[in-house]
Amino acid sequence: MTTHSPALPTTLDKPARITIRGTTKTGRRVMIPRSVRRAAGPLGLVLLWFLTSATGVLPETVLASPVDVLKQAVELTRNGELPSAIAASGRRAATGFLIGATIALSLSLLAGLFRLGEDVIDSSMGMFRAIPWVGLIPLFIVWFGIEETPKIALVALGVTYPLYFNIYGGIRSTDSQLVEAARMMGLGRLGLIRYVILPSALPGALVGLRYALSTAWLALVFAEQINADAGLGYLMSNAQQYFRTDVIVLCLVVYALLGLACDFAVRILSRRLLTWRANFEGEA
């Protein structure tokens, strides 16, 4: 008599498949361009500003309306005051940035690549970083007078710290396994720095560049309050004496637009220089 063993359950023959289904889409999803989404925030703030000014909720003595600011922009552009002020401020910002970037790059390379450089430089930079650089304005006036030098020095100082710490951190965050692999392939010290360490530090350096450019314009706002006879700060000082909030707001808007243009340029530079680097760009 032949006995047949009972058949095993089908669940053991093949593992169960679990499917997780999302919600059913009832309509076609409308995709809004990213440029429109990015502009929605600033345009919404300007619209709110206009409505509160037009309805009297925001008095003109407190803050001028965007229409008055726009009229002043046209008037100051027509008589040449605004373009000359932007040019003067741009020269100060560019000069201070170049000086600060040179100092930051030199110090970060010395501290990042050499232990002796780290021991000598990094602790000192951390100590000086704790000092508010705006508080050094009186000392800069004593050292350099009230001409262009203290203004440029203040911008250079504001640029130095974010660039230094981001480049130094980028160098020291290089993957040790990549360094070891490069040495096994026969790369010398210069080749290791050129092909492994500096590319690894590039993302951090670009982040530091964005911070440094924004800090340069922020420092310039304070620097141009030091006996300025030209520039956006000079226009703001004159407007403050006559309670011209429209001119003050116009100068602040110009500062913001210049900073935004620099940030946009760094974003484009990052996309070109970091094409080799896979990163997360957020969900759609």
Side-chain angles (χ1 to χ4, degrees), residues 34-277:
R34 293 195 66 187
S35 58
V36 176
R37 287 183 291 175
R38 285 180 178 273
L43 290 177
L45 291 176
V46 173
L47 180 60
L48 179 63
W49 177 20
F50 173 77
L51 292 176
T52 53
S53 298
T55 56
V57 176
L58 186 63
E60 188 176 348
T61 55
V62 176
L63 189 64
S65 68
V67 176
D68 295 334
V69 174
L70 184 60
K71 290 179 179 178
Q72 279 301 314
V74 174
E75 179 65 25
L76 293 177
T77 303
R78 187 174 298 167
N79 61 24
E81 288 187 52
L82 187 60
S84 62
I86 293 175
S89 297
R91 286 193 297 269
R92 293 178 183 131
T95 305
F97 176 81
L98 290 176
I99 295 174
T102 302
I103 295 173
L105 181 61
S106 303
L107 294 179
S108 60
L109 289 177
L110 289 174
L113 297 176
F114 305 101
R115 292 182 181 177
L116 178 61
E118 178 187 16
D119 296 338
V120 175
I121 296 172
D122 190 61
S123 58
S124 300
M125 289 295 291
M127 178 182 64
F128 288 127
R129 179 65 182 88
I131 302 175
W133 45 268
V134 179
L136 295 176
I137 293 178
L139 194 58
F140 281 2
I141 294 176
V142 173
W143 288 348
F144 307 119
I146 56 175
E147 300 300 328
E148 289 296 301
T149 305
K151 303 175 182 60
I152 296 174
L154 191 65
V155 175
L157 186 65
V159 165
T160 299
Y161 294 122
L163 265 181
Y164 167 80
F165 284 108
N166 279 278
I167 297 175
Y168 169 77
I171 292 174
R172 286 307 176 94
S173 63
T174 303
D175 192 345
S176 59
Q177 294 182 353
L178 290 178
V179 175
E180 195 64 30
R183 285 174 175 168
M184 293 179 62
M185 293 177 63
L187 280 180
R189 187 173 186 83
L190 293 179
L192 185 65
I193 293 173
R194 179 180 177 183
Y195 296 108
V196 178
I197 296 178
L198 292 184
S200 298
L202 187 58
L206 290 172
V207 172
L209 182 60
R210 292 182 64 183
Y211 278 113
L213 287 171
S214 61
T215 306
W217 293 109
L218 176 62
L220 193 64
V221 174
F222 295 98
E224 290 189 330
Q225 307 300 318
I226 307 173
N227 194 38
D229 56 0
L232 295 171
Y234 173 70
L235 289 180
M236 291 179 64
S237 297
N238 286 344
Q240 179 187 3
Q241 296 177 8
Y242 298 101
F243 301 98
R244 296 292 304 274
T245 58
D246 51 352
V247 179
I248 295 175
V249 173
L250 173 61
C251 294
L252 293 176
V253 169
V254 172
Y255 276 125
L257 291 177
L258 291 173
L260 188 63
C262 292
D263 187 75
F264 181 71
V266 176
R267 283 176 177 270
I268 295 177
L269 184 65
S270 300
R271 290 177 183 175
R272 291 178 178 256
L273 294 180
L274 300 179
T275 54
W276 52 270
R277 183 171 177 258

